[in-house]
């Protein structure tokens, strides 16, 4: 995030680093949106059961070149088998015609000597810690000793299943003719992330033979893995696979609307979602970071006031988040007190929240921190003042998702200069997405209560980013 100034907005191998029912008869009442109950996840109940391989299910017996029977190989092979079963029934509905599964599968150890390492898509796999789909021969391959074990350790086994669903999505693109020779890589990646989302809903619904997925921490972990494999440097010419916000947006489209919706993702659709959101830094030295200070927090509040135009702008108390509020609990590091219309701020904790993590060497870090992670928390507490002015309850689940949605609307407004003197920077959206998945404070009511599904929290935020205040009103009242 920056003070306002002008902003520049703008394959042979596909890899990972490269996610109302009707009836007859008259019924009194109203149509119910899938967003009407914030405790649901795109219409599914928010569950907290098991996530991972089903017990007692025989392992798939697909032939895999190079496989050594390791746990990672077994998991990946079961995933490919399960995803193929999903597409066996889904493909005719989406594309028509018969589905032809991917049958050429390869596993490798990137630490193997170059002379003994197999080739994948024409390249030696020595040092290649990744997974991918090869457009040359239709094969799918994965590294069984670095990438997959790291994902399992960090995010659980369903993160590997998500990766395989993404790669299989590329196979479906090319097998169906959906992928064109001139399609942007970002479009192809968005489609594959969307297909992965459609498959993951199939699992979450209980329709998978090999796997289960709960829609709270299980689905949160899958989405956190997508954050970890985002394009983190928007100025890198190799960054063609999408930010965390873009990848999760595509994943959520597939999860919510099914595989058919993924076929509608094209260049026009992708560019329309990018709209005025900043895509690149203007200079190599620009990081987009604005140090979190009392002055910058006050600028954030002024920016929010410029957008929401409340009759009484909330006061800011920098003595701490605990303001002794008589009608709300303290939420750290930022709180809102309805009785006094005051935002309380604990600056040391907020500064920590808004300081980028030092380079840890951890390849898969889904805790994306930066200045915007702090400012959007302030925004979420300000939106409680906006909700109070609109005579909304401040202690309901809808309060929480409405706060995330309105914070998203403010975020979009900063990108186009409609919210005072602050401007959105590339990477800011990913900091918000990370916070929503990690603890959800940005999507909480006045007492800090949030909804259990990170999916629902992120979905509310991106609805505000892409649709503005009106989308928040339409969804959450």
């Amino acid at each position: 995030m920056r003070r306002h100034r002008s902003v520049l907005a703008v394959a042979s191998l596909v890899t990972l680093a490269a996610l109302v029912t009707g009836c007859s008869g008259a019924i009194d009442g109203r149509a119910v949106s899938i967003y009407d109950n914030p405790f649901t996840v795109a219409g599914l109940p928010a569950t907290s059961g098991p996530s991972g391989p089903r017990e007692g299910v025989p392992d798939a017996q697909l032939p895999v070149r190079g496989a050594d029977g390791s746990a990672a190989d077994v998991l990946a092979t079961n995933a490919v088998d399960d995803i193929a079963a999903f597409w066996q029934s889904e493909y005719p509905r989406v594309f028509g015609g018969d589905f032809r599964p991917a049958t050429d599968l390869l596993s490798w150890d990137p630490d193997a000597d170059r002379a003994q390492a197999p080739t994948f898509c024409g390249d030696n796999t020595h040092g290649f810690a990744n997974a991918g789909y090869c457009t040359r021969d239709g094969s799918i391959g994965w590294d069984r000793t670095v990438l997959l074990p790291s994902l399992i350790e960090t995010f659980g086994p369903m993160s590997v299943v998500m990766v395989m669903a993404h790669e299989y999505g590329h196979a479906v693109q090319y097998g169906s003719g959906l992928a064109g020779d001139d399609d942007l890589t970002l479009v192809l990646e968005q489609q594959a992330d969307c297909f992965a989302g459609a498959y993951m809903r199939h699992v979450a619904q209980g329709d998978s033979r090999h796997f289960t997925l709960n829609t709270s921490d299980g689905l949160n972990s899958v989405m956190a893995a997508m954050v970890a494999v985002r394009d983190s440097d928007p100025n890198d010419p190799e960054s063609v696979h999408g930010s965390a916000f873009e990848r999760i947006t595509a994943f959520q489209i597939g999860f919510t609307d099914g595989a058919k919706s993924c076929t509608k993702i094209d260049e026009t659709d992708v560019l329309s979602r990018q709209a005025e959101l900043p895509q690149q830094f203007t200079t190599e030295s620009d990081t987009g970071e604005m140090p979190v200070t009392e002055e910058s927090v006050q600028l954030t509040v002024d920016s929010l006031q410029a957008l929401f135009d409340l009759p009484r702008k909330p006061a800011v108390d920098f003595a701490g988040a605990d303001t002794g509020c008589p009608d709300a609990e303290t939420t750290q590091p930022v709180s809102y007190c309805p009785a006094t219309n005051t935002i309380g701020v604990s600056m040391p904790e907020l500064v920590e929240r808004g300081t980028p993590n030092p380079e840890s060497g951890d390849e898969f870090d889904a805790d994306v921190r930066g200045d915007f992670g702090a400012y959007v928390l302030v925004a979420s507490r300000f939106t409680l003042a906006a909700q109070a002015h609109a005579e909304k309850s401040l202690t309901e689940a809808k309060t929480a998702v409405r706060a995330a949605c309105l914070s998203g609307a403010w975020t979009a407004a900063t990108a186009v200069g409609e919210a005072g003197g602050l401007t959105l920077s590339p990477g800011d959206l990913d900091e918000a997405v990370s916070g929503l998945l990690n603890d959800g404070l940005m999507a909480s009511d006045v007492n800090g209560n949030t909804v259990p599904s990170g999916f629902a929290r992120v979905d509310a935020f991106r609805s505000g980013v892409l649709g503005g205040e009106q989308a928040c009103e339409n969804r959450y009242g």
Side-chain angles (χ1 to χ4, degrees), residues 77-393:
T77 305
N78 286 339
V80 170
D81 183 62
D82 204 78
I83 297 160
F86 165 75
W87 281 111
Q88 190 69 49
S89 61
E90 192 69 15
Y91 189 94
R93 288 195 287 265
V94 176
F95 299 104
D98 297 327
F99 170 66
R100 292 179 293 177
T103 57
D104 188 3
L105 308 176
L106 175 67
S107 167
W108 65 82
D109 177 358
D111 293 325
D113 291 339
R114 181 175 295 275
Q116 281 74 47
T119 60
F120 177 60
C121 210
D123 295 322
N124 190 284
T125 55
H126 172 76
F128 186 53
N130 218 315
Y133 168 72
C134 179
T135 63
R136 296 178 188 175
D137 57 19
S139 61
I140 294 176
W142 60 85
D143 131 46
R144 65 174 176 271
T145 61
V146 178
L147 172 66
L148 267 57
S150 296
L151 286 170
I152 294 168
E153 180 180 359
T154 308
F155 303 108
M158 292 310 293
S159 63
V160 170
V161 179
M162 179 274 292
V163 167
M164 302 316 298
H166 172 97
E167 300 307 340
Y168 215 115
H170 288 307
V172 169
Q173 286 172 329
Y174 284 91
S176 65
L178 177 64
D181 292 338
D182 298 327
D183 285 343
L184 294 177
T185 301
L186 179 57
V187 171
L188 299 178
E189 293 300 319
Q190 290 272 280
Q191 290 173 353
D193 284 337
C194 184
F195 284 144
Y199 165 74
M200 283 297 177
R201 185 185 181 99
H202 165 83
V203 179
Q205 290 176 162
D207 296 332
S208 162
R209 179 171 181 265
H210 283 283
F211 304 105
T212 62
L213 179 68
N214 73 55
T215 52
S216 51
D217 60 335
L219 186 55
N220 290 3
S221 294
V222 168
M223 295 172 66
M226 299 192 80
V227 172
V229 296
R230 73 197 184 281
D231 286 338
S232 58
D233 181 359
N235 282 37
D236 184 347
E238 298 296 320
S239 293
V240 292
H241 304 95
S243 66
F245 182 80
E246 288 173 318
R247 300 200 76 163
I248 285 181
T249 292
F251 179 88
Q252 291 192 320
I253 290 171
F255 192 98
T256 302
D257 298 323
K260 185 69 174 179
S261 65
C262 306
T263 65
K264 300 176 183 177
I265 295 177
D266 56 17
E267 184 175 353
T268 300
D269 177 65
V270 170
L271 293 179
S272 70
R273 286 201 299 274
Q274 290 181 340
E276 299 297 327
L277 299 176
Q279 301 303 308
Q280 291 183 316
F281 294 118
T282 54
T283 66
E284 290 186 7
S285 61
D286 189 2
T287 65
E289 294 294 315
M290 182 171 70
V292 179
T293 63
E294 291 187 9
E295 180 187 9
S296 65
V297 170
Q298 189 61 62
L299 280 172
T300 301
V301 172
D302 293 344
S303 170
L304 287 152
Q305 177 64 18
L307 177 66
F308 292 106
D309 192 23
L310 300 183
R312 293 176 57 232
K313 182 174 75 171
V316 183
D317 184 350
F318 290 106
D322 186 355
T323 61
C325 186
D327 59 347
E329 297 180 14
T330 300
T331 59
Q332 291 286 0
V334 188
S335 66
Y336 174 68
C337 181
T340 60
N341 193 33
T342 300
I343 295 172
V345 183
S346 296
M347 282 303 298
E349 291 82 359
L350 188 65
V351 169
E352 180 181 0
R353 186 86 173 221
T355 302
N357 287 328
E359 294 292 335
S360 63
D362 185 356
E363 185 178 2
F364 299 119
D365 186 2
D367 185 12
V368 185
R369 296 202 176 197
D371 64 338
F372 193 70
Y375 300 133
V376 78
L377 279 185
V378 175
S380 74
R381 301 306 87 185
F382 187 102
T383 68
L384 295 173
Q387 294 188 59
H389 173 66
E391 299 183 343
K392 309 286 188 183
S393 169

Side-chain angles (χ1 to χ4, degrees), residues 393-446:
S393 169
L394 299 187
T395 57
E396 297 178 350
K398 276 194 176 182
T399 308
V401 288
R402 194 184 292 117
C405 189
L406 291 172
S407 297
W410 167 74
T411 298
T414 65
V416 294
E418 294 179 354
L422 296 181
T423 300
L424 197 68
S425 296
D428 284 347
L429 290 172
D430 291 0
E431 294 165 19
V433 168
S434 176
L436 287 163
L437 290 174
N438 285 333
D439 63 24
L441 178 60
M442 194 182 102
S444 65
D445 70 7
V446 74

